[in-house]
Amino acid sequence: MLIGVIAIQGDVSEHVESLERALAERGEEAEIVTIKHKGTVPECDALIFPGGESTTLGKLLIREGIGDEIQEMKNAGKPIMGTCAGMILISKSGDEQVAKTHQHLLGLMDTTVNRNAFGRQRDSFEMELDLPFLDSPYNAVFIRAPGIVDAGADVKVLARIDDMIVAAEQSNVLAFAFHPELTLDTRVHQYFLDKLF
Amino acid sequence: MELEKLRHGTELIKRGFAKMQKGGVIMDVVNPEQAKIAEEAGAVAVMALQAVPADIRKEGGVARMADPQIVADIVASVTIPVMGKARIGHFVEAEILESLGVDMVDESEVLTPADNSYHIDKNDFTVPFVCGARNLGEALRRINEGAAMIRTKGEAGTGDVSEAVKHMKQIMGEVRALKGMTKEELIAIAREIEAPAELVIETAEMQRIPVVNFAAGGVATPADAALMMRMGADGVFVGSGIFKSENPELMAKAIVEAVNNCDNAEVLAEVSKGIGTGMKGISVDSISEGDILQNRGW
């Protein structure tokens, strides 16, 4: 098993460490590879988009030619998870903020995303969030977080804050507006790994 | 939304914000047009300023926080985070920047210090701070005051990368030297470098400083940016290096690509071609002692 973490920019090492912890907890083994350039994604069995700056990540993904590779991976039914900026990149369309920066979106999920749905950094927050696949709340860290404002019929909503969708799933693709990689609680990564093992 | 359930400005959120900047380039800008050029080039954030460090150095006098109108205009012009500089110890400038919606405050030696004894108590703020450091003790003192991110001081506004190199090697070397030390030895080091013992112990265990560590102060070319990344920087601030160069659009984009390809000399050669000349700059050893910015703060 080979799990890729897109490493163009953002909190890559945090995702790698979370994956390592989650794998150790479940007693499974997999190799983890960080990806900056074209050519590695096709070898991966699963893929993670870290948090970071979506505008930057989108531009560099396209410049590096990784976008098409990810599209093929999605079509092959392999698990893909995006957190925060990753949720934006996974979406099909975005609000005017997303449009004005000519943001490149991969359209892996039938969703419309709002780039900074909860405001600027001073509005960033932590909260206990209920997720349907967990039996107790998850400490979710939202940093200049996006939110899904509209989702197609095939998208399964996993969590909302008011009207904003903050966790969603569509076949093999998972999107979270918060950062499961910033805490020691590996349950979200375990949910992702459940799709692989 | 049940507001009482939300926790704002926690250490996790502040340090987390800095982590999202990793592998990125943060660019100094003085107006919305420059901010848009930076965003288009792939910057992860912009630093909103009244003047870039090279001009601050040239003009002399007292350098203060930027005009709030400039900051507000830049905040409104881009979707990436916007940072702003406050004078060392000037907590009111920091409060003003926070109220303008700035995403991170740089308590910066590039501006004239407002307090010669104390830095800002950054733990009190909701917004995260970045601070400059020349060595491990200075970095850990700033973290103890609440800094969520550290950058090398280097020597801002010079286009001479040598001081940033010196400070990055100094910090990395001091962290490496902690490896294998006993707790009592670490406590003795803490006393020596005037830093809290628990942060020295945490640094020794993690084998890195406990927050994100960027390079800053003299980075002027794609090769400079790649050099700093290769030394272990988590990312790069570029001040005067972009908008004092011949072609800022090309320089900005090339520096972003250089950071992502810092270990590939062929790509670095390619991105560095035909981007015009870099900022003219001034070598650090030709600057008189009184004009050295890195000695501000302690």
Side-chain angles (χ1 to χ4, degrees):
Chain A
M1 289 291 178
L2 184 64
I3 305 171
V5 180
I6 298 293
I8 284 176
Q9 190 271 317
D11 66 337
V12 178
S13 61
E14 286 73 12
H15 265 296
V16 171
E17 284 160 23
S18 293
L19 278 172
E20 284 168 349
R21 268 198 305 277
L23 286 162
E25 281 170 17
R26 61 196 289 144
E28 314 242 31
E29 281 184 24
E31 205 182 321
I32 301 165
V33 61
T34 57
I35 302 167
K36 279 172 173 277
H37 309 292
K38 204 175 164 170
T40 311
V41 171
E43 295 169 24
C44 294
D45 300 296
L47 188 72
I48 288 182
F49 279 104
E53 286 308 321
S54 55
T55 314
T56 309
L57 275 162
K59 284 181 200 308
L60 286 170
L61 270 180
I62 302 302
R63 276 185 218 166
E64 293 288 342
I66 303 174
D68 293 341
E69 295 182 338
I70 296 169
Q71 203 70 50
E72 280 170 34
M73 191 169 181
K74 186 242 170 184
N75 295 340
K78 293 175 180 173
I80 298 174
M81 175 167 80
T83 65
C84 194
M87 175 189 252
I88 298 175
L89 295 171
I90 279 172
S91 295
K92 194 176 77 180
S93 58
D95 64 346
E96 65 205 39
Q97 284 276 66
V98 174
K100 112 176 167 187
T101 54
H102 318 292
Q103 174 78 54
H104 298 281
L105 300 174
L106 298 170
L108 309 182
M109 199 181 255
D110 186 12
T111 48
T112 301
V113 76
N114 181 335
R115 190 191 198 277
N116 294 118
F118 299 97
R120 305 193 68 86
Q121 175 58 18
R122 63 183 175 196
D123 309 307
S124 295
F125 59 94
E126 289 180 55
M127 72 174 292
E128 300 302 313
L129 186 71
D130 286 316
L131 291 164
F133 53 88
L134 299 180
D135 49 19
S136 63
Y138 190 87
N139 182 35
V141 186
F142 292 83
I143 297 178
R144 286 174 50 97
I148 294 170
V149 288
D150 195 23
D154 294 336
V155 177
K156 185 176 159 195
V157 175
L158 299 175
R160 284 179 199 270
I161 297 177
D162 295 341
D163 293 337
M164 204 64 80
I165 299 167
V166 295
E169 176 171 6
Q170 184 177 6
S171 62
N172 53 317
V173 183
L174 286 168
F176 297 98
F178 55 92
H179 293 281
E181 72 280 12
L182 288 184
T183 59
L184 294 173
D185 187 339
T186 57
R187 291 179 296 165
V188 169
H189 283 82
Q190 295 293 10
Y191 185 64
F192 171 66
L193 291 174
D194 285 343
K195 302 196 175 300
L196 184 62
F197 291 101
Chain B
M1 188 163 8
E2 294 173 70
L3 289 168
E4 70 277 11
K5 284 188 175 171
L6 307 185
R7 301 187 296 282
H8 296 280
T10 62
E11 189 178 276
L12 187 59
I13 292 169
K14 291 184 197 176
R15 291 186 180 186
F17 169 80
K19 287 176 176 176
M20 300 313 144
Q21 302 278 303
K22 287 197 295 181
V25 182
I26 300 167
M27 303 181 188
D28 279 3
V29 299
V30 299
N31 56 46
E33 292 68 39
Q34 291 187 353
K36 282 180 196 149
I37 290 171
E39 181 175 58
E40 191 55 38
V44 288
V46 291
M47 179 74 71
L49 295 170
Q50 184 110 25
V52 295
D55 287 335
I56 290 175
R57 191 177 279 289
K58 203 157 60 185
E59 282 157 26
V62 176
R64 310 179 181 95
M65 173 186 79
D67 179 340
Q69 189 62 54
I70 294 176
V71 178
D73 289 347
I74 292 170
V75 165
S77 70
V78 289
T79 61
I80 54 176
V82 177
M83 303 183 179
K85 281 189 199 293
R87 283 179 266 177
I88 289 173
H90 207 316
F91 56 87
V92 173
E93 283 189 349
E95 286 169 3
I96 292 169
L97 290 169
E98 183 175 55
S99 81
L100 291 167
V102 158
D103 297 292
M104 183 172 243
V105 175
D106 184 1
E107 187 184 17
S108 178
E109 71 282 0
V110 170
L111 306 182
T112 310
D115 189 325
N116 291 314
S117 304
Y118 300 99
H119 282 251
I120 298 171
D121 181 359
K122 296 166 272 287
N123 291 304
D124 278 355
F125 284 78
T126 302
V127 76
F129 278 72
V130 55
C131 288
R134 290 161 295 181
N135 53 52
L136 183 60
E138 197 171 19
L140 297 182
R141 285 194 292 280
R142 297 294 86 78
I143 293 168
N144 190 48
E145 293 156 358
M149 182 180 189
I150 292 295
R151 54 170 177 76
T152 59
K153 282 182 168 174
E155 189 57 32
T158 59
D160 179 346
V161 79
S162 63
E163 292 297 298
V165 166
K166 182 165 119 189
H167 299 158
M168 187 57 74
K169 285 203 162 158
Q170 175 69 28
I171 291 172
M172 294 293 177
E174 285 184 85
V175 171
R176 264 196 314 278
L178 300 179
K179 201 171 185 175
M181 281 191 185
T182 63
K183 195 175 171 192
E184 60 184 8
E185 286 168 336
L186 292 171
I187 291 169
I189 292 281
R191 228 170 26 233
E192 194 182 305
I193 66 173
E194 299 180 41
E198 60 269 31
L199 287 177
V200 174
I201 293 166
E202 192 183 350
T203 302
E205 279 168 4
M206 293 172 76
Q207 269 299 294
R208 61 158 295 142
I209 64 168
V211 301
V212 167
N213 184 22
F214 268 47
V219 177
T221 67
D224 287 352
L227 175 72
M228 298 314 301
M229 293 303 288
R230 291 281 287 279
M231 283 179 191
D234 291 317
V236 178
F237 282 88
V238 185
S240 320
I242 290 169
F243 291 99
K244 286 285 161 192
S245 72
E246 188 183 345
N247 189 328
E249 283 94 342
L250 294 179
M251 183 61 81
K253 197 168 166 221
I255 290 179
V256 169
E257 293 192 6
V259 166
N260 195 43
N261 292 283
C262 65
D263 50 3
N264 187 331
E266 283 168 26
V267 176
L268 290 173
E270 205 51 48
V271 303
S272 304
K273 280 180 192 164
I275 55 172
T277 52
M279 67 180 283
K280 182 162 181 284
I282 168 173
S283 79
V284 171
D285 54 18
S286 68
I287 302 172
S288 65
E289 185 66 28
D291 293 330
I292 296 283
L293 301 176
Q294 61 177 273
N295 297 333
R296 296 167 166 181
W298 38 92

